[in-house]
Amino acid sequence: MTEPNQRQLTLAHLRRRVDTLERSADAETRAQEEAAAAAANRARLEAAHPEFAEPSQRREVAANLLKLAVPVVWLIDIYLFGALAEYLASGSGLQGLPLRAAKYLLPGLLIGLDLLVASARQEARETHLVRDDRASRWGWIGWNVGAGALLAVYGALVWSTQWVAHRDSVLGASIGLPLALGLTVLTLLLHATLLFSGADIKAYALYSLRHRRAARREERNARRGRAATAAAVRAFNHLSLDLQELPQRHAGATFPTNFSRRVRELLRREFGFEAITPAGDDGEPPRHGEMPAAAGERNAAGNAPALSDHVVRD
């Protein structure tokens, strides 16, 4: 390969090093911004719910059980109410994908109904605690009776649909119906948990879910930022060493380039010295390899020399 071609390949390689350095700095900046946004979101949640600042093992356990109950009751209801949902959907003229989707949507609607009734029941209870009169007492009792009736309707629907599904089966009476009975008891217990658990437990379950999500997002972006910083430092070290070898490999070859200010700030923060010296800082462009005393100390520990004679753009 001729000397001009080798020089072009070397310069292209150096440009890829610079691109890697800039991309890493961009990724580190974005990760820091997203981590800061997640931290701010977590701080807003904590400020909006000071009642959850004190740790409580009982509240934590109850909230975890509630969060476990929701997907479990949804999965069981798909099995128990699936045939009924498809029958009602087919009677309404639905076909294809909407017909199959009804099997999964009906259990979700039942869970939403549970939460609505539970919210109305909790509101009636709080009204009774404030007023302490006969009307508020009967209102609270009425919502408790309504919640119990809703559980009875669930049980009746499940048993009737499972009886129709298994009555003509050979193994239905010995296997299908007992299994349906056990799942019915379990799903009624889970529905009762959603209906009768305290509003503070539901609020804390939602709060902890959002808080944990924000904390995970903050930590994930912090890891991304650290990885991007490490990649930028590696790219800088390789670029510095390649630039030192450039005059030896290709006489008279130069590689002037521009660096963003975020790259300069990232390297200054990581190395503790000015890793990229802009051209003209001291009145005339410094030579490659020059660096301050602090840089020399860090270079003895394994860091590459500082880059000089380069433009730093805003």
Side-chain angles (χ1 to χ4, degrees):
M1 185 178 296
T2 63
E3 174 64 22
N5 289 337
Q6 290 181 347
R7 179 177 297 189
Q8 291 299 321
L9 289 176
T10 301
L11 294 179
H13 174 72
L14 292 175
R15 281 192 291 270
R16 287 195 295 270
R17 295 284 195 201
V18 174
D19 291 341
T20 301
L21 184 56
E22 292 287 349
R23 285 197 304 270
S24 300
D26 289 340
E28 193 250 4
T29 301
R30 288 194 302 270
Q32 283 187 342
E33 292 174 351
E34 292 178 4
N41 186 27
R42 178 174 53 82
R44 284 194 298 269
L45 280 174
E46 294 172 352
H49 297 279
E51 68 275 15
F52 298 143
E54 290 293 330
S56 172
Q57 185 176 2
R58 181 196 65 82
R59 186 174 58 204
E60 187 73 28
V61 171
N64 288 334
L65 290 177
L66 181 64
K67 286 185 284 189
L68 179 63
V70 171
V72 171
V73 73
W74 180 69
L75 291 174
I76 296 177
D77 283 353
I78 289 175
Y79 173 76
L80 295 177
F81 291 108
L84 175 62
E86 289 181 333
Y87 175 76
L88 294 176
S90 62
S92 302
L94 295 179
Q95 294 180 353
L97 183 60
L99 178 62
R100 292 191 295 271
K103 179 179 180 180
Y104 302 96
L105 292 178
L106 179 60
L109 293 177
L110 295 181
I111 293 175
L113 179 62
D114 288 346
L115 296 177
L116 287 176
V117 172
S119 177
R121 173 186 168 275
Q122 183 67 25
E123 185 177 354
R125 178 178 180 273
E126 292 174 354
T127 302
H128 171 59
L129 292 176
V130 173
R131 296 181 181 177
D132 195 16
D133 56 6
R134 179 175 298 180
S136 61
R137 183 182 302 109
W138 279 110
W140 182 38
I141 293 174
W143 279 111
N144 282 310
V145 172
L150 190 60
L151 291 176
V153 170
Y154 289 161
L157 284 176
V158 170
W159 185 252
S160 61
T161 54
Q162 293 302 313
W163 172 257
V164 171
H166 295 288
R167 64 183 179 181
D168 297 329
S169 174
V170 176
L171 300 177
S174 58
I175 296 178
L177 287 178
L179 176 62
L181 178 60
L183 291 176
T184 300
V185 173
L186 178 58
T187 193
L188 289 180
L189 290 175
L190 294 174
H191 278 291
T193 300
L194 297 178
L195 286 168
F196 293 102
S197 60
D200 58 333
I201 298 301
K202 296 185 180 71
Y204 180 74
L206 181 60
Y207 164 82
S208 62
L209 185 65
R210 296 174 62 190
H211 188 274
R212 190 172 294 113
R213 185 183 303 164
R216 283 199 299 264
R217 182 185 173 195
E218 182 182 1
E219 177 60 28
R220 182 171 62 251
N221 284 289
R223 289 196 301 268
R224 286 176 52 200
R226 291 192 293 269
T229 300
V233 170
R234 287 194 301 270
F236 167 78
N237 286 336
H238 290 306
L239 178 62
S240 298
L241 296 175
D242 288 343
L243 286 177
Q244 271 197 318
E245 298 174 357
L246 181 62
Q248 302 170 9
R249 298 177 60 183
H250 306 288
T254 59
F255 185 71
T257 188
N258 294 333
F259 291 99
S260 64
R261 189 164 296 277
R262 57 179 170 271
V263 170
R264 183 182 182 186
E265 295 297 331
L266 184 153
L267 296 175
R268 178 193 295 167
R269 184 178 65 248
E270 289 300 309
F271 291 152
F273 62 86
E274 196 66 72
I276 299 177
T277 304
D281 265 11
D282 298 326
E284 61 181 13
R287 295 184 300 275
H288 285 295
E290 286 187 350
M291 54 188 170
E297 295 173 1
R298 297 297 293 269
N299 187 58
N303 292 328
L307 299 182
S308 58
D309 196 13
H310 288 77
V311 176
V312 177
R313 64 182 185 274
D314 293 329

